Amino acid sequence: MGTIVMSGTVVLVILGFGNHVYWLAAVAVLFLYVQYGRGSSAPSGGAGGGPAAGGSAPADYRSYRERRDTQAKWERRYRRERPLESRRQEREKAN
């Protein structure tokens, strides 16, 4: 995937000498690849699954905690703003 993105970027840069919009497209492609493409294809935990598997485990755990805390905050807000709906959902979940 990386070679396709890099070759496409090179083509856009070469075309950019005639039209500068292609340079902007090349920058956008690189940005999107770095932001979304590269991280999603890499394995996050590895085969071990524990902290000994890699040095990025604390960052992964930290991001997990942030996502979990944010989700809990939104769920508390939902229950506070819509008490009848949240009670109905809890009743349906219990049945």
Side-chain angles (χ1 to χ4, degrees):
M1 178 69 179
T3 56
I4 294 171
V5 171
M6 291 302 161
S7 62
T9 303
V10 169
V11 168
L12 287 173
V13 167
I14 291 171
L15 291 173
F17 288 111
N19 187 356
H20 297 299
V21 174
Y22 289 119
W23 281 349
L24 293 175
V27 170
V29 166
L30 284 177
F31 173 76
L32 292 174
Y33 174 67
V34 169
Q35 192 73 18
Y36 300 108
R38 195 172 55 176
S40 64
S41 63
S44 60
S56 65
D60 291 341
Y61 181 68
R62 190 177 306 118
S63 63
Y64 159 74
R65 289 282 306 262
E66 289 173 2
R67 286 193 312 271
R68 187 187 69 177
D69 293 345
T70 304
Q71 180 68 28
K73 181 180 77 170
W74 282 104
E75 288 174 358
R76 286 191 302 270
R77 181 178 176 182
Y78 182 83
R79 285 194 303 267
R80 185 177 62 242
E81 292 179 354
R82 297 171 182 86
L84 297 176
E85 180 68 19
S86 62
R87 285 188 208 129
R88 184 187 62 80
Q89 288 176 356
E90 288 175 5
R91 279 196 309 268
E92 290 177 356
K93 187 176 170 182
N95 291 335

